[in-house]
């Protein structure tokens, strides 16, 4: 083994190190998800804070998501103005204070204030971390690196489950306070990382700081070829700064709104699959299925977390080898099948504490969680971030993350209420929502794997897949499918048809005839709107 190989192995590029360090935010998010459901079932917690009704438990668990939604709506504008890492650090410090308040609480109001602060901090950093990694990662490694926070979240869930499994037997309030002490320490470390990491070169370019951007590119270890092709080639119209209100309104302008709506739909609906109902209340779900003791249900939750972590590893490694559409469609169909089958088993009253059907439910819950981690958890945030142009990336992605938080809150808040009133209602609801999501995304979702952030934008100058099929079917029926291409005023239509044929046959933007792409990109707003409107 040569010394040069060892040097390369022991010193990964700066963009890998930076992506890994900011992914600690994902671990924090997952740790809370994996621990809070178990904490609210601990005897010492109930004796200190008080017994919670299903409605109050759902509110307590989900409050972090509700308060996380609000800062997400404007975190993008703040990140554009003050820098990605500055907002991440601010969120981490707020989370630290919230974790301390939760860990030292003696009454429910104190605990809820701490939870609300943790949510506010998460809302600032979660979407901003994704934007930061998206902007520093080379195009061929972007999927893997942007997946790291999701991997961290899965690792955090596992850590949270087993921390509670280990502390549940402590005969004092430390059994539920220790998880919050760990969160406070980790978030303080997370905030300190932001002081030393390189700033986003794309953000610096956005504000005309080209010389500083070149220095940060060197620190990140990005090759000069990659930098010239994918970072330093920004056009002047991409580099103008805007006010907070203008930045928010811009993402709904005609040339951007299709991508904004698609990002909102993706990050909202992947949570309405019910994954947070499974993650937050795994001990409750396993107990409902027939695993009786608290310790056994905690252990089952921990085992599921280990399997989820194991599945996430190849999902991250191969995230740039699988198509985004393939992950969404195949994963979504599996998720819907699991939810609908569990709902059917409960509705038919075949699930009993001593019967064999309970193990089918347990296995299906495992399959659901593992499939989600392998597909939707990885591809959702990658896709929502990479489809945005530079000018609107932070604002649109943070708004989508805010909707993601709100959808999480709905699921986390409603799940215990559903389970208290119906054993199968929640499963049917999540199953049909997932199935509908698959249908919509299969219709309107362009493939983005392997393209640079700038090249991805050309995909939105094409018709959505389903509309291309309908368009050509109508031409076939009308008998005009063999009409010769027009070379006069109808030249735009002929060129656009070439793009549509490439879309229908699965070709990406780079395979479209150059004349068609150039005309599509230089077309008027009316023509562009016809080709990118979603729904």
């Amino acid at each position: 083994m040569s010394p040069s190989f060892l040097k390369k192995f022991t010193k990964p590029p700066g963009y890998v190190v930076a992506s890994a360090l900011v992914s600690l935010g994902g671990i924090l998010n997952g740790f809370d998800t994996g621990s809070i459901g178990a904490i609210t079932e601990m005897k010492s917690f109930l004796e200190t804070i008080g017994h919670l009704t299903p409605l109050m438990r759902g509110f307590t668990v989900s409050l972090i998501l509700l308060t996380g939604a609000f800062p997400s709506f404007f975190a993008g504008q703040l990140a554009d103005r003050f820098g990605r890492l500055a907002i991440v650090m601010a969120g981490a410090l707020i989370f630290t204070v919230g974790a301390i308040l939760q860990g030292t609480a003696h009454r429910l109001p104190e605990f809820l204030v701490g939870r609300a602060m943790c949510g506010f901090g998460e809302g600032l950093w979660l979407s901003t971390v994704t934007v930061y990694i998206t902007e520093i990662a080379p195009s061929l490694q972007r999927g893997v690196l942007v997946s790291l926070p999701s991997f961290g979240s899965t690792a955090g869930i596992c850590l949270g489950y087993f921390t509670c499994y280990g502390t549940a037997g402590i005969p004092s309030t430390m059994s539920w306070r220790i998880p919050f002490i760990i969160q406070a320490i980790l978030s303080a470390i997370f905030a300190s990382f932001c002081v030393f990491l390189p700033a986003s070169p794309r953000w610096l370019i956005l504000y005309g700081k080209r010389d500083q951007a070149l220095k940060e590119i060197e620190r990140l270890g990005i090759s000069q070829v990659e930098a010239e092709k994918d970072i330093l080639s920004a056009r002047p119209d991409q580099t103008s700064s805007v006010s907070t209100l203008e930045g928010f309104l811009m993402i709904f302008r005609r040339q951007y709104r299709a991508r904004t709506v698609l990002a909102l739909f993706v990050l909202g609906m992947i949570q309405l699959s019910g994954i947070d109902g499974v993650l937050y209340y795994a001990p409750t779900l396993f107990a409902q299925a027939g695993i009786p003791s608290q310790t056994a249900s905690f252990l089952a939750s921990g085992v599921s977390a280990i399997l989820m972590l194991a599945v996430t590893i190849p999902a991250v490694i191969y995230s740039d080898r699988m198509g985004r559409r393939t992950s969404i469609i195949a994963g979504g169909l599996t998720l819907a099948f699991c939810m609908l089958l569990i709902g059917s088993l409960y509705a038919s009253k075949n699930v009993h504490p001593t019967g064999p059907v309970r193990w089918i439910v347990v296995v299906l819950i495992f399959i659901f969680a593992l499939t989600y981690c392998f597909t939707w958890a990885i591809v959702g945030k990658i896709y929502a971030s990479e489809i945005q142009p530079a000018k609107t990336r932070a604002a649109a992605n943070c708004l989508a993350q805010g909707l993601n938080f709100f959808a999480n809150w709905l699921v986390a808040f409603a799940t215990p209420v559903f389970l208290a009133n119906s054993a199968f209602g929640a499963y049917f609801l999540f199953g049909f929502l997932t199935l509908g999501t698959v249908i919509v995304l299969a219709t309107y979702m362009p493939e983005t794997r392997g393209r640079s952030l700038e090249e991805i934008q050309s995909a939105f100058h094409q018709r959505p897949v389903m509309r291309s099929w309908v368009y050509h079917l109508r031409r076939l029926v009308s008998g005009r499918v063999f009409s010769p291409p027009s070379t006069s005023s109808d030249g735009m239509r002929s060129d656009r048809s070439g793009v549509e044929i490439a879309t229908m046959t699965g070709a990406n933007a780079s395979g479209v005839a150059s004349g068609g792409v150039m005309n599509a990109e230089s077309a008027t707003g009316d023509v562009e709107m016809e080709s990118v409107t979603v729904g």
Side-chain angles (χ1 to χ4, degrees):
M1 189 174 294
S2 65
S4 61
F5 176 82
L6 289 175
K7 184 177 179 181
K8 182 179 180 180
F9 181 78
T10 55
K11 292 185 178 181
Y15 59 81
V16 174
V17 175
S19 299
L21 292 180
V22 297
S23 296
L24 179 57
I27 294 177
L28 280 167
N29 173 253
F31 191 101
D32 181 83
T33 301
S35 62
I36 188 61
I39 286 172
T40 55
E41 286 190 348
M42 290 184 182
K43 182 180 179 181
S44 60
F45 176 85
L46 298 176
E47 290 174 349
T48 305
I49 302 299
H51 289 268
L52 305 176
T53 64
L55 182 65
M56 197 62 210
R57 187 188 179 204
F59 177 77
T60 301
V61 169
S62 65
L63 179 59
I64 193 172
L65 302 171
L66 183 62
T67 57
F70 294 108
S72 294
F73 292 137
F74 58 80
Q77 285 76 33
L78 293 177
D80 279 340
R81 176 167 297 184
F82 300 106
R84 315 314 192 200
L85 292 175
I87 301 307
V88 171
M89 183 170 65
L93 292 174
I94 293 172
F95 187 95
T96 303
V97 176
I100 293 172
L101 288 177
Q102 288 182 88
T104 58
H106 290 86
R107 294 179 300 172
L108 182 60
E110 299 170 16
F111 188 80
L112 293 178
V113 170
R115 239 173 131 62
M117 291 190 67
C118 283
F120 195 91
E122 281 194 355
L124 287 176
W125 91 54
L126 273 180
S127 54
T128 311
V129 161
T130 303
V131 171
Y132 175 74
I133 298 176
T134 299
E135 292 185 343
I136 67 172
S139 57
L140 294 179
Q141 288 84 41
R142 189 175 59 245
V144 173
L145 296 178
V146 176
S147 301
L148 288 179
S150 296
F151 174 75
S153 180
T154 306
I157 291 170
C158 186
L159 181 61
Y161 279 147
F162 276 100
T163 298
C164 291
Y165 178 70
T167 63
I170 298 176
S172 70
T173 59
M174 293 304 292
S175 61
W176 63 269
R177 296 188 193 277
I178 287 177
F180 294 113
I181 294 173
I182 294 174
Q183 290 181 60
I185 294 172
L186 290 177
S187 58
I189 295 172
F190 181 39
S192 68
F193 285 160
C194 299
V195 178
F196 306 103
L197 292 175
S200 164
R202 281 187 171 87
W203 178 76
L204 294 170
I205 291 290
L206 192 69
Y207 283 88
K209 301 178 181 180
R210 187 180 180 89
D211 291 339
Q212 188 177 348
L214 290 171
K215 294 179 182 178
E216 300 295 38
I217 287 172
E218 184 177 354
R219 289 182 64 194
L220 290 167
I222 299 173
S223 69
Q224 190 64 32
V225 174
E226 180 81 23
E228 292 289 345
K229 181 190 75 171
D230 200 21
I231 297 177
L232 301 174
S233 59
R235 298 190 303 270
D237 66 316
Q238 292 177 311
T239 60
S240 58
S241 60
V242 295
S243 68
T244 299
L245 179 60
E246 289 172 336
F248 182 81
L249 296 178
M250 182 185 300
I251 63 179
F252 292 104
R253 290 179 184 172
R254 187 161 58 184
Q255 65 266 43
Y256 303 124
R257 73 168 68 115
R259 281 159 278 193
T260 300
V261 170
L262 186 56
L264 291 172
F265 184 82
V266 168
L267 285 189
M269 295 306 296
I270 64 174
Q271 298 305 323
L272 292 181
S273 64
I275 184 60
D276 275 309
V278 172
L279 298 180
Y280 278 117
Y281 304 108
T284 303
L285 296 179
F286 287 126
Q288 182 189 48
I291 299 178
S293 71
Q294 184 183 78
T295 302
S297 63
F298 282 8
L299 181 59
S301 302
V303 171
S304 69
I306 290 176
L307 294 176
M308 288 160 55
L309 179 61
V311 163
T312 305
I313 294 173
V316 170
I317 294 174
Y318 293 104
S319 60
D320 279 321
R321 301 186 187 182
M322 295 188 301
R324 314 294 195 231
R325 286 174 54 84
T326 301
S327 295
I328 284 288
I329 296 171
L333 291 175
T334 305
L335 297 176
F337 171 79
C338 292
M339 283 281 125
L340 295 176
L341 183 54
I342 294 174
S344 300
L345 292 174
Y346 275 113
S348 61
K349 299 181 179 179
N350 286 320
V351 183
H352 305 290
T354 58
V357 178
R358 61 176 174 157
W359 296 112
I360 297 178
V361 172
V362 170
V363 169
L364 287 172
I365 291 174
F366 274 54
I367 294 174
F368 178 89
L370 297 178
T371 301
Y372 184 90
C373 290
F374 191 78
T375 57
W376 282 26
I378 298 296
V379 72
K381 291 184 178 180
I382 296 175
Y383 193 80
S385 179
E386 67 186 2
I387 64 174
Q388 305 301 329
K391 205 169 190 178
T392 63
R393 183 173 298 119
N397 197 63
C398 289
L399 179 62
Q401 182 64 57
L403 182 62
N404 178 276
F405 265 112
F406 188 73
N408 281 352
W409 173 77
L410 284 176
V411 172
F413 177 73
T415 296
V417 179
F418 265 120
L419 295 176
N421 292 277
S422 170
F424 58 85
Y427 294 106
F428 279 137
L429 174 64
F430 297 142
F432 283 117
L433 285 174
T434 301
L435 194 59
T437 301
V438 171
I439 294 172
V440 172
L441 292 181
T443 304
Y444 291 106
M445 179 181 178
E447 182 58 70
T448 59
R449 179 177 66 91
R451 300 181 185 179
S452 72
L453 296 179
E454 285 67 31
E455 289 170 345
I456 287 171
Q457 306 313 312
S458 65
F460 288 88
H461 294 285
Q462 305 170 18
R463 286 177 181 268
V465 177
M466 185 61 72
R467 291 184 62 193
S468 288
W469 293 347
V470 173
Y471 175 80
H472 287 283
L473 181 62
R474 290 173 60 186
R475 284 179 58 107
L476 180 64
V477 172
S478 64
R480 292 186 293 116
V481 71
F482 296 110
S483 300
S486 173
T487 57
S488 58
S489 61
D490 198 34
M492 191 64 205
R493 172 174 295 180
S494 298
D495 285 334
R496 194 171 66 236
S497 298
V499 174
E500 292 158 3
I501 292 172
T503 304
M504 184 177 67
T505 57
N508 60 28
S510 62
V512 180
S514 59
V517 174
M518 290 176 61
N519 284 334
E521 290 179 341
S522 62
T524 63
D526 292 338
V527 173
E528 183 182 39
M529 186 57 197
E530 180 187 357
S531 63
V532 303
T533 301
V534 176

